[in-house]
């Protein structure tokens, strides 16, 4: 409670109790003097002065104040997105196609390829050095680069999936699927319920599992965006990845209740209750566990890269946010790039402990020098993002349905995979 009170006071200091001249610089929908001769519209998420976390709100208030003071004559008009990110991004894409997009905006990395394909983004290449771009993780660099070699956004934050374990029960990190099964069975013998993962009708079910398919070199779609996950080149890899989860359940290494799990909070709850010693989760859960557990209990927990079919065939799902420019005015494009550079490329990562996308930033900021964040950085090197194609939501939906059939024993793996592939191809034909 004391921490929350201090955070609230910090936010109040940043936003409401500043000297008059500074107070005027930030309002709910503006940063900068109200009479500034130049204005850029920035459509944003909650990663800013309006953050619901008072500590983050205070931190962003300072970052934005410093930024606008470094760019005299400018004003930022802030447009806040709602919590329905998918709808917000779809609406912004349509606005961009019609020439009515904001000057600068937060674009979900998940849908960035759709914006690139539509040709609505402006190149940010002139504003970032080759060295900075080269420091980006490969999946990030590929994600922001167009067919012409230009970069069309700055991807500033990311996340990933890892395997958490109670080291008292599972002292060594499982590196292969066989290791994970053995460790899970060992935990069952110790009175636990085995390895947990999302397995219900939930996007997390698909995305947390996909690393098992990607690690083998599997592809969800071809270059044209057509589903290929169960064609001649990919089917065997896909089936093997599905059977990995099936075998965990059928062997008792994972409980049947995984088919009802569709929330990362459920995984945290099992760890806190001491009913599970292994679960597949997101990097952000490390901090959640630390905040929720007594220090001596948290000290028992660690994490590692997701296991692979072999030690050398491993991957993990990654996401995150970008900043992109839509304006046809070069001066505003440059301002958008400056916003990404001066606020989000490093400072915002450190403020919110959101994983940076540049490898060198893990050594620049003390918070990312921790053993945990260094391990996250290592895993990001084999990370892979969702394909930003129109058919992906249906691919995910069909994988979720398929997983339910397989894990409950309602269908054979082959039949469930074939049904999912056919349904996805039918949906693709209707696009």
């Amino acid at each position: 409670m004391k921490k929350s009170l201090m955070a609230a006071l910090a936010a109040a200091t940043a936003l409401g109790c500043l000297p008059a001249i500074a107070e005027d610089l930030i309002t709910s929908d503006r940063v900068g003097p109200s009479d500034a001769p130049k204005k850029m519209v920035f459509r944003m998420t909650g990663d800013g002065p309006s953050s619901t976390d008072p500590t983050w709100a205070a931190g962003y208030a300072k970052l934005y104040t410093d930024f606008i003071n470094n760019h005299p004559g400018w004003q930022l008009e802030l447009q806040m997105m709602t919590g329905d990110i998918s709808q917000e991004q779809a609406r912004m894409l349509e606005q961009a196609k019609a020439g009515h997009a904001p000057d600068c905006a937060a674009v979900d990395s998940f849908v960035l390829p759709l914006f690139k394909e539509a040709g609505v983004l402006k190149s940010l290449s002139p504003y970032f050095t080759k060295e900075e771009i080269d420091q980006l993780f490969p999946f990030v660099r590929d994600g922001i680069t167009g067919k012409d070699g230009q970069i069309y956004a700055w991807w500033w934050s990311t996340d990933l999936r890892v395997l958490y374990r109670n080291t008292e029960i599972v002292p060594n990190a499982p590196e292969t699927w066989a290791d994970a099964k053995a460790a899970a069975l060992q935990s069952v013998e110790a009175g636990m319920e085995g390895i947990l993962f999302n397995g219900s009708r939930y996007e997390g079910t698909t995305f947390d599992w996909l690393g098992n398919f990607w690690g083998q070199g599997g592809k969800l779609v071809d270059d044209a965006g057509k589903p290929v996950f169960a064609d001649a080149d990919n089917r065997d890899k896909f089936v093997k990845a599905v059977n990995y989860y099936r075998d965990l359940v059928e062997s008792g290494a994972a409980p049947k209740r995984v088919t009802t799990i569709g929330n990362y909070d459920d995984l945290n709850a099992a760890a806190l209750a001491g009913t599970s010693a292994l679960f597949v989760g997101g990097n952000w859960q490390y901090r959640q566990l630390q905040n929720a557990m007594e220090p001596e209990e948290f000290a028992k927990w660690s994490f590692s890269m997701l296991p692979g079919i072999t030690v050398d065939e491993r991957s993990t799902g990654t996401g995150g946010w970008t900043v992109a420019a839509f304006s046809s005015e070069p001066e505003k494009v440059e301002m958008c790039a400056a916003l990404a550079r001066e606020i989000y490329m490093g400072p915002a990562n450190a403020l919110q402990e959101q994983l940076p996308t540049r490898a060198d930033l893990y050594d620049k900021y003390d918070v990312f020098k921790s053993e945990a964040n260094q391990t996250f950085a290592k895993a990001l090197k084999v990370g892979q993002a969702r394909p930003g194609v129109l058919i992906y939501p249906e691919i995910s939906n069909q994988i979720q349905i398929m997983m339910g059939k397989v894990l409950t024993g309602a269908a054979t793996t082959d039949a469930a995979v074939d049904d999912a592939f056919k349904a996805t191809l039918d949906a693709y034909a209707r696009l």
Side-chain angles (χ1 to χ4, degrees):
M1 182 174 292
K2 181 179 179 181
K3 181 178 179 182
S4 298
L5 177 61
M6 293 303 293
L9 290 173
T13 300
L15 294 173
C17 304
L18 298 174
I21 186 170
E23 181 181 12
D24 187 53
L25 287 181
I26 297 184
T27 69
S28 61
D29 59 2
R30 171 177 54 78
V31 176
S34 57
D35 59 351
K38 294 180 284 190
K39 181 175 75 174
M40 183 182 78
V41 177
F42 179 48
R43 189 171 299 172
M44 63 191 303
T45 64
D47 296 323
S50 295
S51 172
T52 57
D53 183 297
T55 301
W56 293 349
Y60 272 116
K62 183 179 187 309
L63 289 175
Y64 269 82
T65 298
D66 290 346
F67 176 77
I68 209 66
N69 283 333
N70 289 335
H71 298 274
W74 279 94
Q75 176 199 127
L76 302 179
E77 177 185 318
L78 305 181
Q79 296 181 351
M80 297 300 300
M81 296 184 194
T82 67
D84 191 341
I85 296 300
S86 296
Q87 185 180 64
E88 288 281 0
Q89 296 289 293
R91 180 169 67 95
M92 189 163 65
L93 179 57
E94 291 308 309
Q95 290 175 334
K97 290 178 179 177
H100 303 307
D103 301 315
C104 182
V107 176
D108 194 334
S109 61
F110 168 33
V111 295
L112 181 62
L114 301 182
F115 284 80
K116 289 196 302 179
E117 183 178 342
V120 296
L121 302 179
K122 298 300 185 290
S123 172
L124 298 184
S125 290
Y127 312 108
F128 293 93
T129 67
K130 182 179 183 301
E131 290 73 22
E132 289 170 336
I133 296 171
D134 287 345
Q135 282 292 325
L136 293 170
F137 293 113
F139 74 91
V140 172
R141 190 166 55 248
D142 292 344
I144 64 175
T145 303
K147 295 177 181 178
D148 58 0
Q150 299 287 303
I151 65 168
Y152 286 93
W154 191 258
W155 190 335
W156 66 275
S157 70
T158 190
D159 53 35
L160 72 154
R161 277 63 184 164
V162 293
L163 181 65
Y164 287 92
R165 74 184 193 280
N166 182 326
T167 57
E168 278 197 341
I169 309 299
V170 184
N172 299 317
E175 296 192 353
T176 66
W177 295 351
D179 292 343
K181 178 182 176 181
L185 289 172
Q186 176 184 336
S187 75
V188 171
E189 291 176 2
M192 305 287 181
E193 60 178 337
I195 186 171
L196 298 181
F197 47 82
N198 286 306
S200 68
R201 289 290 295 275
Y202 176 53
E203 163 62 15
T205 293
T206 296
F207 200 43
D208 295 355
W209 167 83
L210 273 172
N212 299 299
F213 175 57
W214 284 334
Q216 301 175 73
K219 295 185 179 300
L220 287 177
V221 297
D222 63 17
D223 292 342
K226 179 181 178 181
V228 295
F229 61 85
D231 67 3
D233 292 331
N234 292 284
R235 192 177 191 282
D236 182 60
K237 299 168 185 174
F238 196 85
V239 168
K240 285 180 179 177
V242 176
N243 277 336
Y244 164 49
Y245 266 26
R246 180 175 200 137
D247 181 51
L248 289 175
V249 173
E250 290 183 344
S251 68
K256 289 183 171 59
R257 82 174 186 94
V258 292
T259 59
T260 68
I261 299 177
N263 190 316
Y264 294 99
D265 290 342
D266 291 346
L267 306 174
N268 286 343
L272 291 169
T275 59
S276 179
L278 280 169
F279 69 88
V280 176
N283 67 283
W284 63 89
Q285 291 177 263
Y286 186 77
R287 178 64 65 185
Q288 291 174 340
L289 292 177
Q290 185 177 41
N291 291 339
M293 290 180 170
E294 293 298 326
E296 60 271 19
E297 285 301 311
F298 178 70
K300 301 175 184 178
W301 282 86
S302 187
F303 64 88
S304 55
M305 292 173 60
L306 293 180
I309 190 171
T310 67
V311 174
D312 297 324
E313 295 175 281
R314 304 164 79 171
S315 186
T316 184
T318 55
W321 282 94
T322 79
V323 173
F326 296 88
S327 178
S328 58
E329 300 179 39
E331 195 172 22
K332 291 183 178 180
V333 175
E334 184 175 4
M335 187 66 168
C336 183
L339 181 76
R341 169 185 292 283
E342 297 175 32
I343 293 180
Y344 290 99
M345 190 182 75
N349 296 114
L351 172 64
Q352 293 187 265
E353 288 194 48
Q354 290 199 28
L355 296 176
T357 54
R358 276 175 48 186
D360 57 333
L361 293 182
Y362 285 81
D363 293 323
K364 179 177 180 179
Y365 293 93
D366 288 342
V367 68
F368 297 116
K369 293 179 182 178
S370 68
E371 182 179 352
N373 280 319
Q374 290 292 320
T375 304
F376 288 140
K378 179 181 178 182
L380 283 171
K381 294 178 181 178
V382 294
Q384 189 161 331
R386 301 171 180 91
V389 293
L390 290 174
I391 196 60
Y392 175 78
E394 186 58 27
I395 291 176
S396 177
N397 179 50
Q398 291 302 325
I399 288 177
Q400 294 164 41
I401 294 171
M402 172 210 69
M403 200 65 77
K405 292 178 180 178
V406 170
L407 297 184
T408 60
T412 66
T413 300
D414 286 338
V417 169
D418 289 341
D419 287 347
F421 192 46
K422 181 180 184 304
T424 306
L425 288 175
D426 288 345
Y428 179 76
R430 294 192 295 270
L431 290 179

